[in-house]
Each structure stands twice: as C-alpha cells, then as structure tokens.
Amino acid sequence: MATDRSDALVLAIETSCDETAVAIARANGDIVASEISSQIALHQPYGGVVPELASRNHNLTLRPLIEHTLRSAGIELEEIAAIAATAGPGLASSLLIGNTTAKALALALGKPFYAINHLEGHLLSPFIGGGSDIVPSNLALVVSGGHTLIVHLRGAGDYEVLGSTKDDAAGEAFDKVGKMLGLPYPGGPEIDRRARGGNPAAFDFPRSMIDSGDFQFSFSGLKTSVFYQLKKLPEPLDEATINDLCASFQEAVIEVLVAKTITAAERTNERIVSLSGGVSCNRRLREAMSAACEYAGLDLRIAAPEYTTDNAAMIAWAAAIKQGQAADPTPLDQDINPNLKLVGK
Ligand code: KG4
Ligand code: ZN
C-alpha cells in the first residue's frame, strides 16, 4: 500500500492539545496546505486549557477544517495517498478526536494510516521542506508547553533523549509565571513581548541546574522564586516592574536552555543544532541561541515561526518521511497514548 511517488499526498490531523490543525504534504516534504484553528480565546477565561472544552471544540471544528484545507488546496479527498494523525503525547480526549477521524478516513478511502508521535513532529519541524534524505544528524532542543527535551537526532527516526525536565516544561513555566503576573493566557508570547521593554538584570533569578553536568532541567524553583519576589513588591505592580520581571525571568530560562544545548552539541560532536516547539518562537531565545551557536561555530536550524507552535504540517511531514522509508502503516486498532515516549532506533 505504501507509495514511493514523490508527489503522493499525505493528509495529517493534529489535535493533541488545544489547536485543531490539518495539513497536506507531498512525499518530498513540500507543504501544500497547513490550516490551524486556534482555541486560545476559548480557554483564555480559565487561564489554561480545559480538556473537556478542547475535545468538544475539536469535534465541532475538525470536519469543516478538513473540508476547508482540501478546498483551499484544490485537492480532492480521493487524491490523498495516506492519512496521518498525532497519537500522543497529549490530552487523551483531544487525541481521540483526531485519531478516530483519521482512521475512519483511512478505512473509508482504503489508504494507509500513520500514527505520529507529536514530539517527532516538533523534532523534524526545523527541516520541513528539505527532503526526507536530508534530515541531518544534529543536537536538538525541543521546548514546548508540555516538554523540554535535549535529543541527539542522528537522522529521521533515530533519536536518543539525553535530557528532559524534572518538573515543569519551559513553556509551562512561562505560562504559570504569566498567570502570576496577571497576564493573559498563554503567558509565553506575552512575556516575550513585555520582556523587550524590560531589564533582564533587574531581578536575580536562579539558573536552576546550570552546573549539574547533565542535560536535565528544572523550572519549578525559578517559578517559586518569582512568586516570592512578587510578595516583596508593592501592589499593584507598575508596567515597568512587570516588564523587568518578564525580562529577568525569561533570561533565567534562556540562559539554562542555551548553555545545556551548546554543551550537549559539544559532547555529541554535532556541528548542527536544531530548535523547535512553541517556545522556540521566543525572540530572545532565537537571538541568544544564534549568538551562542555562532560563537561555538555551530550551524543553527530553527523551525519556521508557523511551524513552532502546534501544527499539522510537522505531522504530515513526519508521516511523509515514514512513507519514504517504506515504514509499515499503523494498524487501525492501535490506540492513542497520552504518555507516548520518544523512542530511538
Ligand atoms: O508546541 P506548543 O504549541 O504546544 C505543546 O506541544 O506544548 O507550545 C506551546 C507553548 C506554550 O507554553 C506557550 O506559552 C509557548 O509555547 N510559547 C512561547 C512563545 N510562543 C509560544 N513561549 C515563549 N515565548 C514565545 N514567544
Ligand atoms: Zn507541541
């Protein structure tokens, strides 16, 4: 059933959290269409994602979004050669909507189905469009709302996780600190924006585990430190102090992310560093990682901004690569896995 035609089309669905996303990719990695229906406004009043609301909304949005994606790309459903969906990690009730829809489509069309690990999608996203045979060996940092991972990516499908977070993910820390500061959800983009007008040296927050000698992270102590700093400041906070808190917190996160990434690249003898996941949108992280890589003589590949936060293009491309590698399709009775791990070869 698998095809090796470079123009064969893969339709992918991503519903692991609060974005409903559909994309179509060619087997050579070209993204033909990528549509995202964001639920941010729906969850904003609650200050975080409400799983029941997320799954109900995926249910309402997914079918029209698939139709819209096909129509806007001028593609008929019958032209699709394979269907893919994120199988985990993520929210169970959200994953189920995308997965069940993708399997039903695959069954109805008689096409192969590919279950994709969301983290693999993020990992491969800096190389979208480059062709499956040129995902180079590199040292990868994935920073999102749910994960902070340092991975030795030796090629598509060949991964070794070198470190992860012991508590909060980097994006989660941004969102929780944003909430403490009274900023709208999600805190990440808002802190990024406000930090541009703040002083990163105004508050001395801890660089947790920076000297631990391994590739583990911990961000919950930093979050607590912001909490105790807030207790010492007079209420209400003025705009300049909020901006300084944002800049100082952000700098503490970024310094640790950059230092561990560069050390990991040196230790694995990799010359390429890749950066992906929602937090890789962050302007200061992109700047600091670029400067550190340049200094260390490393080549940095960052996901294009539209492929940093959750999207289905990265899932379509990961599936296209699997097809190119003649991987077996996923059996339709294989369940989703909210705790799916990234496994190497
Ligand atoms: O990859 P993603 O969309 O979802 C997960 O797989 O978790 O990442 C979402 C995370 C959120 O925590 C959000 O606050 C963070 O990415 N984020 C940012 C920025 N844009 C999104 N964090 C810092 N700076 C940004 N500009
Ligand atoms: Zn994600």
Side-chain angles (χ1 to χ4, degrees), residues 14 16 118 122 144-145 277-278 308-310 314:
E14 154 66 42
S16 65
H118 182 80
H122 277 306
S144 71
T308 52
T309 45
D310 289 348
M314 66 185 192

PDB file of all heavy atoms in Angstrom, residues 14 16 118 122 144-145 277-278 308-310 314, ligand 2:
ATOM      1  N   GLU A  14      -3.779  17.062  13.534  1.00  0.00           N
ATOM      2  CA  GLU A  14      -3.128  17.262  14.836  1.00  0.00           C
ATOM      3  C   GLU A  14      -4.182  17.820  15.805  1.00  0.00           C
ATOM      4  O   GLU A  14      -4.722  18.906  15.575  1.00  0.00           O
ATOM      5  CB  GLU A  14      -1.949  18.239  14.657  1.00  0.00           C
ATOM      6  CG  GLU A  14      -1.546  19.042  15.864  1.00  0.00           C
ATOM      7  CD  GLU A  14      -0.983  18.241  17.030  1.00  0.00           C
ATOM      8  OE1 GLU A  14      -0.193  17.317  16.811  1.00  0.00           O
ATOM      9  OE2 GLU A  14      -1.375  18.554  18.180  1.00  0.00           O
ATOM     10  N   SER A  16      -3.578  17.277  19.535  1.00  0.00           N
ATOM     11  CA  SER A  16      -3.068  16.739  20.804  1.00  0.00           C
ATOM     12  C   SER A  16      -3.406  17.626  21.999  1.00  0.00           C
ATOM     13  O   SER A  16      -3.411  17.180  23.130  1.00  0.00           O
ATOM     14  CB  SER A  16      -1.564  16.535  20.733  1.00  0.00           C
ATOM     15  OG  SER A  16      -0.913  17.768  20.581  1.00  0.00           O
ATOM     16  N   HIS A 118       3.847  13.244  18.467  1.00  0.00           N
ATOM     17  CA  HIS A 118       3.850  14.712  18.416  1.00  0.00           C
ATOM     18  C   HIS A 118       5.274  15.277  18.558  1.00  0.00           C
ATOM     19  O   HIS A 118       5.651  16.243  17.889  1.00  0.00           O
ATOM     20  CB  HIS A 118       2.950  15.224  19.553  1.00  0.00           C
ATOM     21  CG  HIS A 118       2.802  16.698  19.621  1.00  0.00           C
ATOM     22  ND1 HIS A 118       1.949  17.407  18.800  1.00  0.00           N
ATOM     23  CD2 HIS A 118       3.397  17.619  20.424  1.00  0.00           C
ATOM     24  CE1 HIS A 118       2.038  18.697  19.103  1.00  0.00           C
ATOM     25  NE2 HIS A 118       2.904  18.860  20.079  1.00  0.00           N
ATOM     26  N   HIS A 122       7.603  17.846  16.198  1.00  0.00           N
ATOM     27  CA  HIS A 122       8.370  19.047  16.575  1.00  0.00           C
ATOM     28  C   HIS A 122       9.843  18.886  16.186  1.00  0.00           C
ATOM     29  O   HIS A 122      10.445  19.793  15.617  1.00  0.00           O
ATOM     30  CB  HIS A 122       8.281  19.292  18.085  1.00  0.00           C
ATOM     31  CG  HIS A 122       7.034  20.037  18.501  1.00  0.00           C
ATOM     32  ND1 HIS A 122       6.661  21.234  17.950  1.00  0.00           N
ATOM     33  CD2 HIS A 122       6.090  19.751  19.439  1.00  0.00           C
ATOM     34  CE1 HIS A 122       5.529  21.664  18.519  1.00  0.00           C
ATOM     35  NE2 HIS A 122       5.167  20.775  19.426  1.00  0.00           N
ATOM     36  N   SER A 144       8.489  23.194  24.505  1.00  0.00           N
ATOM     37  CA  SER A 144       7.074  23.477  24.250  1.00  0.00           C
ATOM     38  C   SER A 144       6.351  23.651  25.574  1.00  0.00           C
ATOM     39  O   SER A 144       6.972  23.740  26.638  1.00  0.00           O
ATOM     40  CB  SER A 144       6.464  22.340  23.439  1.00  0.00           C
ATOM     41  OG  SER A 144       6.352  21.195  24.245  1.00  0.00           O
ATOM     42  N   GLY A 145       5.017  23.662  25.512  1.00  0.00           N
ATOM     43  CA  GLY A 145       4.237  23.812  26.730  1.00  0.00           C
ATOM     44  C   GLY A 145       4.251  22.543  27.571  1.00  0.00           C
ATOM     45  O   GLY A 145       4.067  22.575  28.782  1.00  0.00           O
ATOM     46  N   GLY A 277       9.475  23.632  18.765  1.00  0.00           N
ATOM     47  CA  GLY A 277       8.460  23.693  19.820  1.00  0.00           C
ATOM     48  C   GLY A 277       8.008  25.128  20.042  1.00  0.00           C
ATOM     49  O   GLY A 277       8.694  26.077  19.628  1.00  0.00           O
ATOM     50  N   GLY A 278       6.866  25.295  20.690  1.00  0.00           N
ATOM     51  CA  GLY A 278       6.245  26.612  20.853  1.00  0.00           C
ATOM     52  C   GLY A 278       7.161  27.682  21.407  1.00  0.00           C
ATOM     53  O   GLY A 278       7.135  28.832  20.950  1.00  0.00           O
ATOM     54  N   THR A 308       6.418  26.422  14.691  1.00  0.00           N
ATOM     55  CA  THR A 308       6.933  26.268  16.057  1.00  0.00           C
ATOM     56  C   THR A 308       5.824  25.797  16.998  1.00  0.00           C
ATOM     57  O   THR A 308       5.948  24.779  17.651  1.00  0.00           O
ATOM     58  CB  THR A 308       7.555  27.578  16.594  1.00  0.00           C
ATOM     59  OG1 THR A 308       6.613  28.618  16.429  1.00  0.00           O
ATOM     60  CG2 THR A 308       8.837  27.924  15.895  1.00  0.00           C
ATOM     61  N   THR A 309       4.708  26.551  17.054  1.00  0.00           N
ATOM     62  CA  THR A 309       3.598  26.098  17.908  1.00  0.00           C
ATOM     63  C   THR A 309       2.871  24.975  17.165  1.00  0.00           C
ATOM     64  O   THR A 309       3.149  24.704  15.990  1.00  0.00           O
ATOM     65  CB  THR A 309       2.642  27.266  18.241  1.00  0.00           C
ATOM     66  OG1 THR A 309       2.399  27.987  17.056  1.00  0.00           O
ATOM     67  CG2 THR A 309       3.227  28.191  19.284  1.00  0.00           C
ATOM     68  N   ASP A 310       1.926  24.317  17.865  1.00  0.00           N
ATOM     69  CA  ASP A 310       1.329  23.107  17.305  1.00  0.00           C
ATOM     70  C   ASP A 310       0.706  23.332  15.928  1.00  0.00           C
ATOM     71  O   ASP A 310      -0.013  24.300  15.712  1.00  0.00           O
ATOM     72  CB  ASP A 310       0.297  22.552  18.290  1.00  0.00           C
ATOM     73  CG  ASP A 310       0.992  21.965  19.507  1.00  0.00           C
ATOM     74  OD1 ASP A 310       2.237  21.790  19.449  1.00  0.00           O
ATOM     75  OD2 ASP A 310       0.312  21.689  20.495  1.00  0.00           O
ATOM     76  N   MET A 314       3.911  19.611  10.488  1.00  0.00           N
ATOM     77  CA  MET A 314       5.024  18.796  11.021  1.00  0.00           C
ATOM     78  C   MET A 314       4.609  17.323  11.133  1.00  0.00           C
ATOM     79  O   MET A 314       5.443  16.424  10.994  1.00  0.00           O
ATOM     80  CB  MET A 314       5.506  19.357  12.366  1.00  0.00           C
ATOM     81  CG  MET A 314       4.495  19.267  13.489  1.00  0.00           C
ATOM     82  SD  MET A 314       5.115  20.082  14.989  1.00  0.00           S
ATOM     83  CE  MET A 314       3.912  19.512  16.209  1.00  0.00           C
TER      84      MET A 314
HETATM   85 ZN    ZN B   2       3.523  20.752  20.624  1.00  0.00          ZN
END
